[in-house]
Structure formats: structure tokens, C-alpha cells
Amino acid sequence: MTRKSALVAGAVAAALALAGCGDDGDSGPDTVTVTSTPQAAQSPTHADSMAGGDSGQRSGGDYTAADDQTVRITQTPASVRCTGGEVIVAVPSAQVAITGNCDDLKIESSGGTITAENVDDLDITGSGNTVTAGVVDDLDIDGDDNSVTAQRIDDVDLNGNANTVAYREGSPEIDDEGSGNTVGAGG
């Protein structure tokens, strides 16, 4: 067999092997990791709006978290458009802007500044974060020294300490098992 024939046969075998790797519906949700390198997964519309230059840095990335997708923020600044899905903030001192309606927002890092429009479940395990949000259905804080200001929060569960939660309207159910936490209207 010639070298060219061997290469073609190898390519065909690889294509057949990959053909069996399709989505069988049983796999977990898609995960997109947002980084500042050119290889970061992104929505198709973002490719035309990348910042110029050789650094690979993007300003105001247009990432999307749709139903059954997870966007994991590992470098900032970053912005995400939610149409369902989950966003995980996993970088210290994060600067993240989230628009739209997210199913889940998990803040695992510390010292970040995060804004979000509407979130079904907001979980904060990190400490020292400042979060500004629109409507939050369920807020869970396990970290310490976080500050959350929202238009409305329906349910607040606090296990961390020295957290401040302010809401502008409504009257959330509050379960405070931490110490030194402040929850009230204002902001």
C-alpha cells in the first residue's frame, strides 16, 4: 500500500470512529469555558466583534449560556448572555456582566464584581464578592463577607457569615444559619 493510500485509509477509519461519537441524548450538558485566548468557545456572532491586536484579549465577549449549557468563567473581564443554562464564575477578582435569564449562577471564586439581570438560583460559595442583580428566585450564600443587592429576591438561605443582602421590593423568606448577616429592604 502506498503512503497516500495509507493516509486515506487512516482518515476514513478516523471519520468512521468519530461518526459513532454523536449526541445520544444521554450525555450531560455542554460546557463552554470562557478564557481570553483565541481558542475560547464562543457564540457565532462573537467572531466578528473580537478586539484587534495580537494579545488574544477580548473586551465585552458575547458568550451565550443556553438551556442545557454551562459557561465556566476562568478569566475576566467577561460577559455572558443567558437564555437558560448555567454560569459558573471560577476566577478570583472576577469582573463579569450577565444579561438575560439564567437558570443557575454559581460564584465559586472570591473578590469578584458580578452583575446579573435575572437568575433562578444564585449560589455563592466564595467570599468577598459584590453581586448586583435584577430578580433572584433563590439565593444561597455559603461564603463569607459577600454583598448582594437585587431588585427582588424570593428566598434567601444563609450559611456563611458577615454577608449583606439588600432587596428593593418584595419580602423574601429568610433562613439565616450563619452569624453576623444582614438582610433587609434597601439598596
Side-chain angles (χ1 to χ4, degrees):
M1 185 182 305
T2 68
R3 180 178 167 104
K4 185 176 181 182
S5 297
L7 287 174
V8 169
V12 168
L16 289 173
L18 289 174
C21 294
D23 185 11
D24 60 6
D26 293 333
S27 61
D30 295 333
T31 299
V32 177
T33 300
V34 177
T35 66
S36 65
T37 60
Q39 292 79 26
Q42 58 204 12
S43 65
T45 58
H46 181 68
D48 296 330
S49 63
M50 287 175 43
D54 296 335
S55 69
Q57 296 290 329
R58 294 183 179 90
S59 62
D62 186 17
Y63 302 98
T64 301
D67 287 335
D68 296 325
Q69 282 188 321
T70 297
V71 175
R72 184 173 183 85
I73 306 294
T74 59
Q75 293 189 10
T76 67
S79 64
V80 179
R81 170 85 178 133
C82 276
T83 58
E86 174 180 56
V87 175
I88 300 172
V89 178
V91 59
S93 303
Q95 302 291 315
V96 180
I98 301 167
T99 59
N101 299 308
C102 290
D103 292 337
D104 297 297
L105 172 55
K106 296 180 180 177
I107 302 172
E108 299 174 348
S109 60
S110 297
T113 302
I114 296 98
T115 60
E117 283 184 353
N118 298 313
V119 180
D120 289 345
D121 294 308
L122 173 55
D123 298 321
I124 304 172
T125 56
S127 298
N129 294 292
T130 301
V131 180
T132 305
V135 175
V136 177
D137 291 339
D138 185 27
L139 171 63
D140 295 314
I141 303 178
D142 291 321
D144 301 326
D145 299 311
N146 293 289
S147 173
V148 177
T149 303
Q151 184 65 33
R152 187 185 87 226
I153 304 172
D154 294 334
D155 188 49
V156 178
D157 293 311
L158 300 165
N159 291 305
N161 303 308
N163 295 291
T164 301
V165 177
Y167 52 91
R168 293 183 190 94
E169 58 188 54
S171 142
E173 291 185 34
I174 301 167
D175 182 15
D176 185 356
E177 305 214 4
S179 66
N181 294 309
T182 304
V183 180

